[in-house]
Structures are given as C-alpha cells and as structure tokens.
Amino acid sequence: MGLFSKKPKELEYDATDCMNKKTRIREMFNKAVADGDTYEILHATETSSKYEKGFVFNTNTTTFYHYILGYRKSDCKIVLVQTDRELTRHSDAFFVDMDAVVDVHYNPKQVQACLIYQKGYSSYGEILNIGDTGSKTMCGIANMVQKDEREAFLDFLENVHSSLEQKGYKQEKWKRQ
C-alpha cells in the first residue's frame, strides 16, 4: 500500500432488500418470457449519452436503461427484458440474435460485458453494465449485489468467446480480472 492509496470501501447494502428485488426480477422475467424458469438471470444496465450544442447552453443528456438479462447455456440464448427503476413495469422480451454476434468481451474495470454484432447489422451491439449497487446509489436500482450471478454469466460468456474463436472469428484476449 502506497502513501496516498486508499483501501476500497466495502459496499453497503441491505441483504433482505436485495433478495426481495431478485425474486421480483425473477417474477417479471417469467411473465415476459414463456419458458423463463429455464434461464439464469441477473440485472444489467445500459447507458446512452446525447450531446447537443445550443445557442446559449450545451446540454449532455444521459439515459439509463435497466434490463433483466436472461441466458441459457443449453442453446446459447440471451434475452433482455427492459424494466423501470422501481421494478413495477417491464417490456416484452428481446432475444439477442446470437448468430449475428461476432465478438464477446468483458471489461473488468468498468464491469461491462460487450456483445458486438457483425458489420451491416442494424446496431453495433450490447454494452451491458453488470456491476453491483449499494444502498446509496443514485442512478441504478439500489441494493443489487449479484456476485455469484455475475460469475456464472461470465463463465457463460467465456464459453461463447471460445466457440466464436473456433468458428474463426478473431477475438481479443479474454480478461476476467
């Protein structure tokens, strides 16, 4: 430990509230996806920023999207169900086109999983934040700690990464830590 380095603080969260929210997202996912119990799930967020130059002021708007991310190892499917921050409403299920995914990687510093689509596809890909949130969070769903779920999803992504390598797609080196 250096002279000016700080020890990272332990994340403060309410464990019972975390479990209640995990059961709530399971219920919402099962309502949105027909065979929802066959999927493993975790909470993910995605952000988009929009910068506009104005006559007097420039504005930067950031939008947060909350998802229930479901994945199934048996047939390598990924499903996203968008929710609101209060976990009261949800959208229809969006199935990620895994045939169009050509690159998968994980950024451990920002806790982001990236699924990149092939060229010519309608969008670039999915950049999903799968980190934990404590009780004092301002931008996400509070008290969402999912270390075990994240590790299981990273195992799934690592298998997808190796299968894409076997298909001949050039992949970056897989970094977990």
Side-chain angles (χ1 to χ4, degrees):
M1 239 218 199
L3 183 62
F4 294 106
S5 62
K6 290 184 178 180
K7 183 179 177 184
K9 290 185 177 181
E10 193 70 31
L11 188 65
E12 296 178 20
Y13 70 100
D14 183 10
T16 57
D17 189 36
C18 180
M19 288 307 297
N20 291 339
K21 288 182 179 174
K22 285 181 181 180
T23 57
R24 177 68 185 138
I25 65 171
R26 171 53 78 183
E27 292 168 1
M28 291 174 75
F29 187 80
N30 289 347
K31 284 181 186 176
V33 179
D35 52 351
D37 285 328
T38 61
Y39 289 86
E40 296 181 46
I41 62 168
L42 71 149
H43 174 260
T45 59
E46 194 169 25
T47 58
S48 69
S49 294
K50 183 179 179 183
Y51 181 76
E52 293 181 357
K53 285 191 165 206
F55 184 68
V56 178
F57 297 107
N58 297 335
T59 58
N60 190 12
T61 307
T62 303
T63 307
F64 293 91
Y65 300 99
H66 300 279
Y67 294 107
I68 304 170
L69 186 147
Y71 63 96
R72 188 165 52 194
K73 294 178 184 177
S74 61
D75 57 356
C76 195
K77 283 191 175 182
I78 296 178
V79 181
L80 296 173
V81 177
Q82 187 174 356
T83 66
D84 60 344
R85 187 174 178 207
E86 293 79 27
L87 297 176
T88 56
R89 296 178 298 160
H90 62 85
S91 70
D92 293 334
F94 169 73
F95 289 86
V96 174
D97 185 7
M98 293 304 286
D99 294 332
V101 173
V102 294
D103 191 11
V104 175
H105 62 273
Y106 175 65
N107 184 341
K109 282 187 178 179
Q110 297 172 340
V111 196
Q112 287 181 338
C114 302
L115 305 168
I116 300 172
Y117 296 134
Q118 62 192 2
K119 288 185 180 180
Y121 203 72
S122 60
S123 67
Y124 174 74
E126 309 294 335
I127 301 173
L128 301 165
N129 299 315
I130 53 174
D132 298 331
T133 57
S135 59
K136 297 178 183 178
T137 188
M138 299 297 279
C139 61
I141 297 175
N143 294 318
M144 235 2 197
V145 177
Q146 51 190 5
K147 182 179 188 234
D148 297 333
E149 293 90 348
R150 181 174 47 251
E151 290 299 318
F153 180 64
L154 291 177
D155 290 340
F156 169 76
L157 278 186
E158 199 167 351
N159 291 337
V160 171
H161 182 269
S162 63
S163 69
L164 287 174
E165 272 184 341
Q166 290 173 356
K167 289 180 183 177
Y169 293 111
K170 185 175 174 154
Q171 302 287 304
E172 292 181 19
K173 184 180 176 188
W174 182 262
K175 291 185 253 177
R176 193 86 175 242
Q177 299 295 341

